[in-house]
Coordinates of all heavy atoms in Angstrom, one line a residue:
M12 N 0.8 -1.2 0.0 CA 0.0 0.0 0.0 C 0.9 1.3 0.0 O 0.3 2.4 -0.1 CB -0.9 0.0 1.2 CG -2.1 -1.0 1.1 SD -3.2 -0.6 -0.3 CE -4.1 0.8 0.3
A13 N 2.1 1.1 0.2 CA 3.0 2.3 0.2 C 3.0 2.9 -1.2 O 3.0 2.3 -2.2 CB 4.4 1.9 0.6
L14 N 3.0 4.2 -1.1 CA 3.1 5.0 -2.4 C 4.2 4.5 -3.3 O 4.0 4.4 -4.5 CB 3.2 6.5 -2.0 CG 2.7 7.5 -3.0 CD1 1.2 7.4 -3.2 CD2 3.0 8.9 -2.6
A15 N 5.3 4.3 -2.7 CA 6.5 3.9 -3.5 C 6.3 2.6 -4.2 O 7.0 2.3 -5.2 CB 7.7 3.8 -2.6
D16 N 5.4 1.7 -3.7 CA 5.1 0.5 -4.4 C 4.2 0.7 -5.7 O 4.2 -0.1 -6.6 CB 4.4 -0.5 -3.5 CG 5.3 -0.9 -2.3 OD1 6.5 -0.9 -2.5 OD2 4.7 -1.3 -1.3
D17 N 3.4 1.7 -5.7 CA 2.5 2.0 -6.7 C 2.9 2.9 -7.8 O 2.3 3.0 -8.9 CB 1.2 2.5 -6.1 CG 0.5 1.4 -5.2 OD1 0.8 0.2 -5.5 OD2 -0.2 1.8 -4.3
Y18 N 3.9 3.7 -7.5 CA 4.4 4.7 -8.5 C 5.9 4.5 -8.7 O 6.6 4.2 -7.8 CB 4.1 6.1 -8.0 CG 2.6 6.4 -7.8 CD1 2.0 6.0 -6.6 CD2 1.9 6.9 -8.8 CE1 0.6 6.3 -6.4 CE2 0.5 7.1 -8.7 CZ -0.1 6.8 -7.5 OH -1.4 7.0 -7.3
E19 N 6.3 4.8 -9.9 CA 7.7 4.7 -10.3 C 8.5 5.9 -10.0 O 8.7 6.8 -10.9 CB 7.9 4.3 -11.8 CG 7.7 2.8 -12.1 CD 8.1 2.5 -13.5 OE1 9.3 2.6 -13.8 OE2 7.2 2.2 -14.3
F20 N 8.9 6.1 -8.8 CA 9.6 7.3 -8.4 C 11.0 7.3 -9.0 O 11.7 8.3 -9.1 CB 9.7 7.5 -6.9 CG 8.3 7.8 -6.3 CD1 7.5 6.9 -5.7 CD2 7.8 9.1 -6.5 CE1 6.3 7.3 -5.2 CE2 6.6 9.5 -6.0 CZ 5.8 8.5 -5.4
G21 N 11.4 6.2 -9.5 CA 12.7 6.1 -10.3 C 12.7 6.9 -11.6 O 13.7 7.2 -12.2
L22 N 11.5 7.3 -12.0 CA 11.3 8.2 -13.2 C 11.7 9.6 -12.9 O 11.8 10.4 -13.8 CB 9.9 8.1 -13.7 CG 9.5 6.7 -14.4 CD1 8.1 6.7 -14.7 CD2 10.4 6.5 -15.6
L23 N 11.9 9.9 -11.6 CA 12.3 11.3 -11.3 C 13.8 11.5 -11.6 O 14.6 10.7 -11.2 CB 12.1 11.6 -9.8 CG 10.6 11.6 -9.3 CD1 10.6 11.8 -7.8 CD2 9.8 12.7 -10.0
V24 N 14.0 12.5 -12.3 CA 15.4 12.8 -12.6 C 15.7 14.3 -12.3 O 14.8 15.2 -12.4 CB 15.8 12.6 -14.1 CG1 15.7 11.1 -14.5 CG2 14.9 13.4 -15.1
N25 N 16.9 14.6 -11.9 CA 17.3 15.9 -11.5 C 18.3 16.4 -12.6 O 19.4 16.0 -12.7 CB 18.0 15.9 -10.2 CG 18.4 17.3 -9.7 OD1 18.2 18.3 -10.4 ND2 19.1 17.3 -8.5
D26 N 17.8 17.3 -13.4 CA 18.6 17.8 -14.5 C 19.8 18.6 -14.1 O 20.8 18.8 -14.8 CB 17.8 18.7 -15.5 CG 16.9 17.9 -16.4 OD1 17.4 16.9 -16.9 OD2 15.7 18.2 -16.6
A27 N 19.8 19.0 -12.8 CA 21.0 19.6 -12.3 C 22.2 18.7 -12.3 O 23.4 19.1 -12.4 CB 20.8 20.2 -10.9
V28 N 22.0 17.4 -12.2 CA 23.0 16.4 -12.1 C 23.8 16.4 -13.5 O 25.0 16.6 -13.5 CB 22.5 15.0 -11.8 CG1 23.6 13.9 -11.9 CG2 21.9 14.9 -10.5
D29 N 23.1 16.3 -14.6 CA 23.8 16.4 -15.9 C 24.5 17.7 -16.1 O 25.6 17.7 -16.6 CB 22.7 16.1 -17.0 CG 22.3 14.7 -17.1 OD1 23.0 13.8 -16.5 OD2 21.3 14.4 -17.8
A30 N 23.9 18.8 -15.7 CA 24.5 20.1 -15.9 C 25.8 20.2 -15.1 O 26.8 20.7 -15.5 CB 23.5 21.2 -15.5
V31 N 25.7 19.7 -13.8 CA 26.9 19.8 -13.0 C 28.0 18.9 -13.5 O 29.2 19.3 -13.5 CB 26.6 19.4 -11.5 CG1 27.8 19.0 -10.7 CG2 25.9 20.6 -10.8
I32 N 27.7 17.7 -14.0 CA 28.7 16.8 -14.5 C 29.4 17.4 -15.8 O 30.6 17.3 -15.9 CB 28.1 15.4 -14.8 CG1 27.7 14.7 -13.5 CG2 29.1 14.5 -15.6 CD1 26.9 13.4 -13.7
A33 N 28.6 18.0 -16.6 CA 29.1 18.7 -17.8 C 30.0 19.8 -17.4 O 31.1 19.9 -18.0 CB 28.0 19.2 -18.7
E34 N 29.7 20.6 -16.4 CA 30.5 21.7 -16.0 C 31.8 21.2 -15.3 O 32.9 21.7 -15.5 CB 29.7 22.6 -15.1 CG 30.5 23.8 -14.5 CD 30.9 24.8 -15.6 OE1 30.3 24.8 -16.7 OE2 31.9 25.5 -15.4
L35 N 31.6 20.1 -14.5 CA 32.8 19.5 -13.9 C 33.8 19.0 -14.9 O 35.0 19.2 -14.8 CB 32.3 18.4 -12.9 CG 33.3 17.7 -12.0 CD1 33.9 18.7 -11.1 CD2 32.6 16.6 -11.2
D36 N 33.3 18.4 -15.9 CA 34.1 17.9 -17.0 C 34.9 19.0 -17.6 O 36.1 18.9 -17.9 CB 33.2 17.2 -18.1 CG 33.9 16.4 -19.1 OD1 35.1 16.1 -18.9 OD2 33.4 16.1 -20.2
Y37 N 34.2 20.1 -17.9 CA 34.9 21.3 -18.5 C 36.0 21.8 -17.5 O 37.1 22.0 -18.0 CB 33.9 22.4 -18.8 CG 34.5 23.7 -19.1 CD1 35.2 23.8 -20.3 CD2 34.5 24.7 -18.3 CE1 35.9 25.0 -20.6 CE2 35.1 25.9 -18.5 CZ 35.8 26.1 -19.7 OH 36.4 27.2 -20.0
Q38 N 35.6 22.1 -16.3 CA 36.5 22.7 -15.4 C 37.7 21.9 -15.1 O 38.8 22.4 -14.9 CB 35.8 23.2 -14.1 CG 34.9 24.4 -14.3 CD 34.4 25.0 -13.0 OE1 35.1 25.0 -12.0 NE2 33.3 25.7 -13.1
L39 N 37.5 20.5 -15.0 CA 38.7 19.7 -14.8 C 39.6 19.6 -15.9 O 40.8 19.2 -15.8 CB 38.2 18.2 -14.4 CG 37.6 18.1 -13.0 CD1 37.1 16.7 -12.8 CD2 38.6 18.4 -11.9
S40 N 39.1 20.1 -17.1 CA 40.0 20.1 -18.3 C 40.9 21.3 -18.3 O 41.8 21.4 -19.1 CB 39.2 20.0 -19.6 OG 38.5 21.3 -19.8
L41 N 40.6 22.3 -17.4 CA 41.4 23.5 -17.4 C 42.7 23.3 -16.7 O 42.9 22.5 -15.8 CB 40.6 24.6 -16.6 CG 39.2 25.0 -17.1 CD1 38.5 26.0 -16.2 CD2 39.3 25.5 -18.6
E42 N 43.7 24.1 -17.2 CA 45.1 24.0 -16.7 C 45.2 24.2 -15.2 O 45.9 23.5 -14.5 CB 45.9 25.1 -17.5 CG 47.4 25.1 -17.1 CD 48.1 23.7 -17.4 OE1 47.7 23.1 -18.4 OE2 49.0 23.4 -16.7
E43 N 44.4 25.2 -14.7 CA 44.4 25.5 -13.3 C 44.0 24.3 -12.4 O 44.2 24.3 -11.2 CB 43.5 26.7 -13.0 CG 42.0 26.4 -13.2 CD 41.2 27.7 -13.3 OE1 41.4 28.5 -14.2 OE2 40.2 27.9 -12.5
N44 N 43.3 23.4 -13.0 CA 42.8 22.2 -12.2 C 43.6 20.9 -12.6 O 43.2 19.8 -12.2 CB 41.3 22.0 -12.4 CG 40.5 23.1 -11.7 OD1 40.9 23.6 -10.7 ND2 39.4 23.5 -12.4
A45 N 44.7 21.1 -13.2 CA 45.6 20.0 -13.6 C 46.0 19.2 -12.3 O 46.2 18.0 -12.4 CB 46.8 20.4 -14.3
D46 N 46.0 19.8 -11.2 CA 46.5 19.2 -9.9 C 45.3 18.5 -9.1 O 45.6 18.0 -8.1 CB 47.2 20.2 -9.1 CG 46.4 21.4 -8.7 OD1 45.4 21.7 -9.4 OD2 46.6 22.0 -7.6
A47 N 44.1 18.7 -9.6 CA 43.0 18.1 -8.9 C 43.0 16.6 -9.1 O 43.2 16.1 -10.1 CB 41.7 18.7 -9.4
C48 N 42.7 15.9 -8.0 CA 42.7 14.4 -8.0 C 41.5 13.9 -8.9 O 40.4 14.5 -8.8 CB 42.5 13.8 -6.6 SG 42.5 12.0 -6.6
R49 N 41.8 12.9 -9.7 CA 40.7 12.4 -10.6 C 40.2 11.0 -10.1 O 39.6 10.3 -10.9 CB 41.3 12.2 -12.0 CG 40.8 13.3 -13.0 CD 41.6 14.5 -12.7 NE 41.5 15.5 -13.8 CZ 41.9 16.7 -13.7 NH1 42.5 17.2 -12.7 NH2 41.7 17.6 -14.7
C50 N 40.6 10.6 -8.9 CA 40.1 9.3 -8.4 C 38.6 9.3 -8.3 O 38.0 10.3 -8.2 CB 40.8 8.8 -7.2 SG 40.1 9.5 -5.6
H51 N 38.0 8.1 -8.4 CA 36.6 8.0 -8.3 C 35.9 8.7 -7.1 O 35.0 9.4 -7.3 CB 36.2 6.5 -8.3 CG 34.8 6.2 -8.7 ND1 33.9 5.7 -7.9 CD2 34.2 6.3 -9.9 CE1 32.7 5.6 -8.5 NE2 32.9 5.9 -9.8
D52 N 36.5 8.5 -6.0 CA 36.0 9.1 -4.7 C 36.0 10.6 -4.8 O 35.0 11.3 -4.5 CB 36.8 8.7 -3.5 CG 36.5 7.2 -3.1 OD1 35.5 6.6 -3.7 OD2 37.2 6.7 -2.3
C53 N 37.1 11.2 -5.3 CA 37.2 12.6 -5.3 C 36.3 13.3 -6.3 O 35.6 14.3 -6.1 CB 38.6 13.0 -5.6 SG 39.7 12.8 -4.1
V54 N 36.2 12.7 -7.5 CA 35.3 13.2 -8.6 C 33.9 13.2 -8.2 O 33.1 14.1 -8.4 CB 35.6 12.6 -9.9 CG1 34.6 13.0 -11.0 CG2 37.0 12.9 -10.4
L55 N 33.4 12.0 -7.6 CA 32.0 11.9 -7.2 C 31.8 12.9 -6.0 O 30.7 13.5 -5.9 CB 31.7 10.5 -6.8 CG 30.9 9.7 -7.9 CD1 31.8 9.4 -9.0 CD2 30.3 8.5 -7.3
D56 N 32.8 13.1 -5.2 CA 32.6 14.0 -4.1 C 32.5 15.5 -4.6 O 31.6 16.2 -4.1 CB 33.9 13.9 -3.1 CG 33.6 14.6 -1.8 OD1 32.5 14.6 -1.3 OD2 34.6 15.2 -1.2
M57 N 33.2 15.8 -5.6 CA 33.1 17.1 -6.2 C 31.7 17.3 -6.8 O 31.1 18.4 -6.5 CB 34.1 17.3 -7.4 CG 35.6 17.4 -7.0 SD 36.6 17.3 -8.6 CE 38.1 16.9 -7.9
A58 N 31.2 16.3 -7.4 CA 29.8 16.4 -8.0 C 28.8 16.6 -6.9 O 27.9 17.4 -7.0 CB 29.5 15.2 -8.9
A59 N 28.9 15.8 -5.8 CA 28.0 15.9 -4.7 C 28.0 17.2 -4.0 O 27.0 17.8 -3.7 CB 28.3 14.8 -3.7
L60 N 29.2 17.7 -3.8 CA 29.4 19.0 -3.1 C 28.8 20.1 -4.0 O 28.1 21.0 -3.5 CB 30.9 19.3 -2.9 CG 31.6 18.6 -1.8 CD1 33.1 18.8 -1.9 CD2 31.1 19.0 -0.4
A61 N 29.0 20.1 -5.3 CA 28.5 21.1 -6.2 C 27.0 21.0 -6.2 O 26.3 22.0 -6.1 CB 29.1 20.9 -7.6
L62 N 26.4 19.8 -6.3 CA 25.0 19.6 -6.4 C 24.3 20.1 -5.1 O 23.1 20.5 -5.2 CB 24.6 18.1 -6.6 CG 24.7 17.7 -8.1 CD1 24.7 16.2 -8.2 CD2 23.6 18.4 -8.9
N63 N 24.9 20.1 -4.0 CA 24.3 20.6 -2.8 C 24.2 22.1 -2.8 O 23.5 22.7 -1.9 CB 25.1 20.1 -1.5 CG 24.8 18.7 -1.2 OD1 23.7 18.2 -1.5 ND2 25.7 18.0 -0.6
N64 N 24.8 22.7 -3.7 CA 24.8 24.2 -3.8 C 24.1 24.7 -5.0 O 24.3 25.9 -5.4 CB 26.2 24.8 -3.7 CG 26.7 24.6 -2.2 OD1 26.1 25.1 -1.3 ND2 27.9 24.0 -2.1
V65 N 23.5 23.9 -5.8 CA 22.7 24.4 -6.9 C 21.2 24.1 -6.7 O 20.9 23.1 -6.1 CB 23.2 23.8 -8.3 CG1 24.7 24.2 -8.5 CG2 23.0 22.3 -8.4
K66 N 20.4 24.9 -7.4 CA 19.0 24.7 -7.3 C 18.7 23.4 -8.0 O 19.0 23.2 -9.2 CB 18.3 25.8 -8.0 CG 16.8 25.9 -7.7 CD 16.2 27.2 -8.1 CE 16.3 27.4 -9.6 NZ 15.7 28.7 -10.0
P67 N 18.0 22.4 -7.3 CA 17.6 21.2 -8.0 C 16.6 21.5 -9.2 O 15.9 22.5 -9.1 CB 17.0 20.3 -6.9 CG 16.6 21.2 -5.8 CD 17.5 22.5 -6.0
A68 N 16.6 20.6 -10.1 CA 15.7 20.7 -11.3 C 15.0 19.4 -11.5 O 15.2 18.8 -12.6 CB 16.4 21.3 -12.5
Y69 N 14.3 18.9 -10.6 CA 13.6 17.6 -10.7 C 12.5 17.7 -11.7 O 11.7 18.7 -11.7 CB 13.1 17.1 -9.4 CG 14.2 16.4 -8.6 CD1 14.9 17.1 -7.6 CD2 14.6 15.1 -8.9 CE1 15.9 16.5 -6.8 CE2 15.6 14.5 -8.1 CZ 16.2 15.2 -7.1 OH 17.2 14.6 -6.4
R70 N 12.3 16.6 -12.4 CA 11.1 16.4 -13.3 C 10.9 14.9 -13.4 O 11.8 14.1 -13.1 CB 11.4 17.0 -14.6 CG 12.5 16.4 -15.4 CD 12.8 17.0 -16.7 NE 14.0 16.6 -17.3 CZ 14.2 15.4 -18.0 NH1 13.1 14.6 -18.2 NH2 15.3 15.1 -18.5
S71 N 9.7 14.6 -13.8 CA 9.4 13.2 -14.2 C 10.0 13.1 -15.6 O 9.9 13.9 -16.4 CB 7.9 13.0 -14.3 OG 7.7 11.8 -15.1
S72 N 10.7 12.0 -15.8 CA 11.4 11.8 -17.1 C 10.3 11.7 -18.2 O 10.7 11.7 -19.4 CB 12.3 10.6 -17.1 OG 11.6 9.4 -16.7
L73 N 9.1 11.5 -17.9 CA 8.0 11.5 -18.9 C 7.6 12.8 -19.4 O 7.1 13.0 -20.5 CB 6.8 10.8 -18.3 CG 7.0 9.3 -17.9 CD1 5.7 8.8 -17.3 CD2 7.4 8.5 -19.1
V74 N 7.7 13.8 -18.5 CA 7.3 15.2 -18.9 C 8.3 16.2 -18.4 O 9.2 15.9 -17.7 CB 5.9 15.5 -18.2 CG1 4.8 14.6 -18.8 CG2 6.0 15.4 -16.7
G75 N 8.1 17.4 -18.9 CA 8.9 18.5 -18.3 C 10.3 18.8 -19.0 O 11.1 19.6 -18.4
V76 N 10.6 18.1 -20.0 CA 11.9 18.3 -20.6 C 12.1 19.7 -21.1 O 13.2 20.3 -20.9 CB 12.1 17.3 -21.8 CG1 13.4 17.6 -22.5 CG2 12.0 15.9 -21.4
I77 N 11.1 20.3 -21.7 CA 11.2 21.6 -22.2 C 11.5 22.7 -21.1 O 12.3 23.5 -21.2 CB 10.0 22.0 -23.0 CG1 9.9 21.1 -24.3 CG2 10.0 23.5 -23.4 CD1 8.6 21.1 -25.0
Y78 N 10.7 22.5 -20.0 CA 10.9 23.4 -18.9 C 12.3 23.3 -18.4 O 13.0 24.3 -18.1 CB 9.9 23.0 -17.8 CG 10.2 23.8 -16.5 CD1 9.9 25.1 -16.4 CD2 10.8 23.1 -15.4 CE1 10.2 25.8 -15.2 CE2 11.2 23.8 -14.3 CZ 10.8 25.2 -14.2 OH 11.1 25.9 -13.0
A79 N 12.8 22.1 -18.2 CA 14.2 21.9 -17.6 C 15.2 22.5 -18.5 O 16.2 23.2 -18.1 CB 14.5 20.5 -17.4
Q80 N 15.1 22.4 -19.8 CA 16.1 22.9 -20.8 C 16.1 24.4 -20.7 O 17.1 25.1 -20.7 CB 15.8 22.5 -22.2 CG 16.2 21.0 -22.4 CD 15.8 20.5 -23.8 OE1 15.0 21.1 -24.4 NE2 16.4 19.4 -24.1
K81 N 14.9 25.0 -20.5 CA 14.7 26.4 -20.4 C 15.4 26.9 -19.2 O 16.2 27.9 -19.2 CB 13.2 26.8 -20.4 CG 12.9 28.3 -20.4 CD 11.4 28.5 -20.6 CE 11.1 30.0 -20.7 NZ 11.2 30.6 -19.4
L82 N 15.2 26.2 -18.1 CA 15.8 26.6 -16.8 C 17.3 26.7 -16.9 O 18.0 27.6 -16.4 CB 15.5 25.5 -15.7 CG 16.1 25.7 -14.4 CD1 15.3 26.9 -13.7 CD2 15.9 24.5 -13.5
Y83 N 17.9 25.7 -17.6 CA 19.4 25.7 -17.7 C 20.0 26.5 -18.8 O 21.2 26.6 -18.9 CB 19.9 24.2 -17.7 CG 19.9 23.7 -16.3 CD1 18.8 23.0 -15.8 CD2 20.9 24.0 -15.5 CE1 18.8 22.6 -14.5 CE2 20.9 23.6 -14.2 CZ 19.8 22.9 -13.7 OH 19.8 22.5 -12.4
N84 N 19.2 27.3 -19.5 CA 19.7 28.2 -20.4 C 19.8 29.6 -19.8 O 20.3 30.5 -20.3 CB 18.9 28.3 -21.7 CG 19.2 27.1 -22.6 OD1 20.3 26.6 -22.6 ND2 18.2 26.6 -23.3
E85 N 19.2 29.7 -18.6 CA 19.2 31.0 -17.9 C 20.6 31.3 -17.3 O 21.2 30.4 -16.7 CB 18.1 31.0 -16.8 CG 16.7 31.1 -17.4 CD 15.7 30.8 -16.3 OE1 16.0 30.9 -15.1 OE2 14.5 30.6 -16.7
D86 N 21.0 32.5 -17.5 CA 22.4 32.9 -17.1 C 22.6 32.7 -15.6 O 23.7 32.3 -15.2 CB 22.6 34.4 -17.4 CG 22.9 34.5 -18.9 OD1 23.1 33.5 -19.6 OD2 22.9 35.7 -19.4
E87 N 21.6 33.0 -14.8 CA 21.7 32.9 -13.4 C 22.0 31.5 -12.9 O 22.9 31.3 -12.1 CB 20.5 33.4 -12.7 CG 20.6 33.6 -11.2 CD 19.3 33.9 -10.5 OE1 18.3 34.4 -11.2 OE2 19.2 33.8 -9.3
T88 N 21.3 30.6 -13.5 CA 21.5 29.2 -13.2 C 22.9 28.7 -13.7 O 23.6 28.0 -12.9 CB 20.4 28.3 -13.9 OG1 19.1 28.8 -13.5 CG2 20.5 26.9 -13.4
K89 N 23.3 29.1 -14.8 CA 24.6 28.8 -15.4 C 25.7 29.3 -14.5 O 26.6 28.5 -14.2 CB 24.7 29.3 -16.8 CG 25.9 28.7 -17.6 CD 25.8 29.2 -19.0 CE 26.9 28.6 -19.9 NZ 28.2 28.7 -19.4
N90 N 25.6 30.5 -14.0 CA 26.6 31.1 -13.1 C 26.6 30.3 -11.8 O 27.7 30.1 -11.2 CB 26.3 32.6 -12.9 CG 26.5 33.4 -14.1 OD1 27.2 33.0 -15.0 ND2 26.0 34.6 -14.1
Q91 N 25.5 30.0 -11.3 CA 25.4 29.3 -10.0 C 26.1 27.9 -10.2 O 26.8 27.5 -9.3 CB 23.9 29.0 -9.7 CG 23.6 28.5 -8.3 CD 22.2 28.1 -8.1 OE1 21.6 27.4 -9.0 NE2 21.6 28.5 -7.0
I92 N 25.9 27.2 -11.3 CA 26.5 25.9 -11.5 C 28.0 26.1 -11.6 O 28.8 25.3 -11.0 CB 25.9 25.2 -12.7 CG1 24.5 24.8 -12.3 CG2 26.8 24.0 -13.1 CD1 23.7 24.2 -13.5
E93 N 28.5 27.1 -12.4 CA 29.9 27.3 -12.6 C 30.6 27.6 -11.2 O 31.7 27.0 -10.9 CB 30.1 28.5 -13.5 CG 29.8 28.2 -14.9 CD 29.9 29.4 -15.8 OE1 30.1 30.5 -15.3 OE2 29.6 29.3 -17.0
E94 N 29.9 28.4 -10.4 CA 30.5 28.8 -9.1 C 30.5 27.6 -8.2 O 31.5 27.3 -7.4 CB 29.7 30.0 -8.5 CG 30.2 30.5 -7.2 CD 31.6 31.0 -7.2 OE1 32.1 31.3 -8.3 OE2 32.3 31.1 -6.1
A95 N 29.4 26.8 -8.1 CA 29.3 25.7 -7.2 C 30.4 24.6 -7.6 O 31.0 24.0 -6.7 CB 27.9 25.0 -7.3
V96 N 30.6 24.4 -8.9 CA 31.6 23.4 -9.3 C 33.0 23.9 -9.0 O 33.9 23.2 -8.5 CB 31.5 23.1 -10.8 CG1 32.7 22.4 -11.4 CG2 30.2 22.4 -11.1
R97 N 33.3 25.2 -9.2 CA 34.6 25.8 -8.9 C 34.9 25.6 -7.4 O 36.0 25.2 -7.0 CB 34.6 27.3 -9.2 CG 36.0 27.9 -9.3 CD 35.9 29.4 -9.5 NE 35.2 30.1 -8.4 CZ 35.8 30.2 -7.1 NH1 37.0 29.8 -6.9 NH2 35.1 30.8 -6.2
Q98 N 33.9 25.9 -6.5 CA 34.1 25.8 -5.1 C 34.3 24.3 -4.7 O 35.1 24.0 -3.8 CB 32.9 26.4 -4.3 CG 32.9 27.9 -4.3 CD 31.7 28.4 -3.6 OE1 30.9 27.7 -2.9 NE2 31.5 29.8 -3.7
A99 N 33.6 23.4 -5.3 CA 33.7 22.0 -5.0 C 35.0 21.5 -5.3 O 35.6 20.7 -4.6 CB 32.6 21.2 -5.8
I100 N 35.6 21.9 -6.5 CA 36.9 21.4 -6.9 C 37.9 21.9 -5.9 O 38.8 21.2 -5.5 CB 37.2 21.9 -8.3 CG1 36.4 21.1 -9.4 CG2 38.7 21.6 -8.6 CD1 36.5 21.7 -10.8
E101 N 37.8 23.2 -5.5 CA 38.8 23.8 -4.6 C 38.7 23.0 -3.2 O 39.8 22.7 -2.6 CB 38.5 25.3 -4.3 CG 38.9 26.2 -5.5 CD 40.3 26.0 -5.9 OE1 41.2 25.9 -5.0 OE2 40.6 25.8 -7.1
K102 N 37.5 22.7 -2.8 CA 37.3 22.0 -1.5 C 38.0 20.7 -1.5 O 38.7 20.3 -0.6 CB 35.8 21.9 -1.2 CG 35.5 21.9 0.3 CD 33.9 22.1 0.4 CE 33.5 22.2 1.9 NZ 32.1 22.6 2.0
V103 N 37.8 19.9 -2.6 CA 38.3 18.6 -2.7 C 39.8 18.6 -2.9 O 40.6 17.8 -2.4 CB 37.6 17.8 -3.8 CG1 38.3 16.4 -4.0 CG2 36.2 17.6 -3.5
K104 N 40.3 19.7 -3.6 CA 41.8 19.8 -3.7 C 42.4 20.0 -2.3 O 43.5 19.4 -2.0 CB 42.1 21.1 -4.5 CG 42.2 20.9 -6.0 CD 42.7 22.2 -6.6 CE 42.6 22.3 -8.1 NZ 43.0 23.6 -8.6
T105 N 41.8 20.8 -1.5 CA 42.3 21.1 -0.1 C 42.1 19.9 0.8 O 43.0 19.6 1.6 CB 41.5 22.3 0.5 OG1 41.5 23.3 -0.5 CG2 42.2 22.8 1.8
N106 N 41.0 19.2 0.7 CA 40.6 18.1 1.5 C 40.2 16.9 0.7 O 39.0 16.6 0.6 CB 39.5 18.4 2.5 CG 40.0 19.1 3.7 OD1 40.9 18.6 4.4 ND2 39.5 20.3 4.0
P107 N 41.1 16.2 0.0 CA 40.7 15.0 -0.8 C 40.0 14.0 0.0 O 40.4 13.7 1.2 CB 42.0 14.5 -1.4 CG 43.0 15.6 -1.2 CD 42.6 16.3 0.0
L108 N 39.0 13.4 -0.5 CA 38.2 12.4 0.2 C 38.9 11.0 0.3 O 38.8 10.3 1.2 CB 36.8 12.2 -0.6 CG 35.8 11.4 0.2 CD1 35.2 12.2 1.3 CD2 34.7 10.9 -0.7
H109 N 39.7 10.7 -0.8 CA 40.4 9.4 -0.8 C 41.3 9.3 0.4 O 41.9 10.2 0.9 CB 41.2 9.3 -2.1 CG 42.3 10.3 -2.3 ND1 42.3 11.2 -3.4 CD2 43.3 10.6 -1.5 CE1 43.3 12.0 -3.3 NE2 44.0 11.7 -2.2
S110 N 41.5 8.0 0.8 CA 42.5 7.8 1.8 C 43.9 7.5 1.2 O 43.9 7.0 0.1 CB 42.1 6.6 2.6 OG 41.6 5.5 1.8
E111 N 44.9 7.9 1.8 CA 46.2 7.8 1.3 C 46.6 6.4 1.1 O 46.3 5.5 1.9 CB 47.2 8.5 2.2 CG 47.0 10.0 2.4 CD 47.3 10.7 1.0 OE1 48.1 10.2 0.2 OE2 46.6 11.8 0.8
Ligands
LIG204 ZN1 41.3 11.3 -4.9

């Protein structure tokens, strides 16, 4: 009888995730981030840290694609993602998650 049994909540996607990963990919390619750790733990940590500082953009994967694309073309959102990713990379550089 639980709601989760009757509805496919797995269809919920957060478009901020794809946007953050794309921005992370770009910023890690920059010379200034050549020293950032690329291990699995650190890169996922960067993405998680950045995502906690950007506005989520959840939608059902069945509907709402146009709205989400519109959201991510707005300059304010783009700047927010760029800044969140920049800070996340710096944080992980200073405090890498991986164990030595
Ligand atoms: Zn690492």
Side-chain angles (χ1 to χ4, degrees):
M12 287 298 286
L14 206 60
D16 293 336
D17 295 334
Y18 297 87
E19 279 192 64
F20 289 103
L22 291 174
L23 293 175
V24 294
N25 181 0
D26 281 318
V28 175
D29 283 345
V31 160
I32 291 169
E34 180 62 24
L35 188 58
D36 191 18
Y37 167 71
Q38 290 195 25
L39 284 176
S40 74
L41 301 176
E42 183 62 32
E43 68 195 58
N44 289 323
D46 58 335
C48 180
R49 260 78 168 169
C50 83
H51 198 250
D52 285 349
C53 286
V54 171
L55 260 71
D56 194 33
M57 289 172 198
L60 286 168
L62 277 165
N63 283 332
N64 287 306
V65 301
K66 192 167 66 178
Y69 277 100
R70 61 179 169 85
S71 160
S72 58
L73 297 177
V74 293
V76 177
I77 293 165
Y78 170 75
Q80 283 173 347
K81 187 169 181 288
L82 179 73
Y83 278 95
N84 284 328
E85 289 169 13
D86 284 348
E87 189 186 344
T88 306
K89 194 172 184 306
N90 291 341
Q91 187 188 49
I92 289 172
E93 286 171 1
E94 182 61 17
V96 168
R97 196 188 61 74
Q98 286 180 6
I100 292 172
E101 285 308 313
K102 207 166 189 173
V103 174
K104 270 189 194 174
T105 312
N106 276 308
L108 191 74
H109 60 241
S110 42
E111 294 296 330

